[in-house]
């Protein structure tokens, strides 16, 4: 018996897409809360949000907090840069095209539409989500070389899982064509 009749044989991997997008946005929320704390008395707090870290530096906010803001910004940027790559391997059912990085979303069809086993797709999609959550924590809080290395390993793990789905999709397509 599964919760709400959802199990590893259903298309759970589709839920990974919004969750991965949320993991990309979360570090920005962390940065925003740090900025708000640091500049709470500034009447121009949200007038130039892309420059808030520089404003914090000028206002004498501690270097530790500035570095945490910068790491949160880095985690956010990395999440947005990589989201299309993960989305590429998970999405199914309809073809989406777009401009720029959204053109990658066309490749989302691969894992599900090609016939890759749903359990495999769901397990790898879940692994990608877990790796990205750990990546964000390590990126935001990792202020030493060891945690930075772990961060790189989690990024690599998520990327390898994504590439694994792409290769499995290619193999599945090729098996049908031959």
């Amino acid at each position: 018996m599964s919760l709400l009749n959802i199990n590893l044989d259903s298309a759970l991997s589709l839920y990974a897409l919004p969750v991965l997008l949320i993991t990309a946005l979360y570090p920005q929320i962390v940065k925003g809360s740090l900025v708000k704390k640091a500049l709470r008395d500034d009447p121009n707090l949200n007038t130039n949000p892309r420059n808030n870290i520089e404003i914090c530096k000028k206002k004498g906010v501690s270097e530790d907090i500035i570095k945490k803001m910068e790491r949160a910004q880095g985690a956010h940027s990395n999440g947005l840069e990589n989201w299309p790559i993960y989305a590429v391997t998970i999405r199914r059912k309809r073809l989406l095209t777009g401009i720029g990085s959204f053109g990658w979303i066309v490749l989302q069809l691969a894992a599900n539409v090609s016939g890759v086993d749903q359990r495999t797709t769901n397990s790898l999609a879940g692994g990608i989500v877990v790796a990205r959550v750990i990546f964000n924590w390590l990126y935001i809080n990792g202020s030493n070389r060891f945690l930075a290395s772990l961060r790189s390993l989690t990024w690599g793990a998520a990327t390898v899982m994504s590439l694994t789905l792409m290769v499995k999709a290619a193999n599945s397509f090729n098996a049908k064509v031959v």
Side-chain angles (χ1 to χ4, degrees):
M1 186 78 158
S2 63
L3 181 65
L4 301 175
N5 207 20
I6 296 174
N7 58 50
L8 282 179
D9 294 319
S10 64
L12 290 176
S13 61
L14 297 176
Y15 296 107
L17 293 173
V19 172
L20 285 170
L21 187 56
I22 290 167
T23 68
L25 298 175
Y26 174 75
Q28 186 65 12
I29 294 167
V30 170
K31 178 190 141 197
S33 69
L34 291 169
V35 167
K36 188 173 182 177
K37 251 188 216 177
L39 300 178
R40 69 176 144 256
D41 297 329
D42 192 323
N44 299 314
L45 174 63
N46 200 31
T47 58
N48 189 5
R50 290 181 183 249
N51 202 31
N52 278 341
I53 293 175
E54 288 304 315
I55 293 168
C56 287
K57 287 177 183 177
K58 289 177 185 172
K59 297 247 183 196
V61 174
S62 80
E63 190 172 331
D64 287 344
I65 298 296
I66 296 292
K67 286 183 178 189
K68 191 167 189 171
M69 288 177 190
E70 291 171 340
R71 290 191 306 269
Q73 180 60 49
H76 172 66
S77 296
N78 183 276
L80 293 178
E81 292 159 1
N82 283 283
W83 187 81
I85 294 169
Y86 303 128
V88 157
T89 62
I90 296 168
R91 184 90 166 114
R92 81 189 265 170
K93 298 286 187 201
R94 60 188 169 130
L95 184 64
L96 300 175
T97 57
I99 299 169
S101 65
F102 289 105
W104 285 81
I105 294 174
V106 171
L107 298 174
Q108 293 179 36
L109 298 164
N112 283 287
V113 174
S114 68
V116 174
D117 175 66
Q118 201 65 61
R119 282 181 174 263
T120 300
T121 304
N122 290 338
S123 297
L124 288 168
I128 292 166
V129 169
V130 169
R132 290 303 300 185
V133 168
I134 294 168
F135 173 89
N136 281 342
W137 188 91
L138 289 168
Y139 207 137
I140 293 167
N141 297 296
S143 58
N144 63 54
R145 199 175 208 151
F146 176 72
L147 292 178
S149 295
L150 286 178
R151 181 192 75 224
S152 295
L153 285 173
T154 60
W155 178 88
T159 301
V160 166
M161 286 183 272
S162 188
L163 292 171
T164 299
L165 280 175
M166 288 180 195
V167 169
K168 286 186 173 293
N171 290 342
S172 183
F173 273 121
N174 283 332
K176 291 177 182 177
V177 172
V178 173

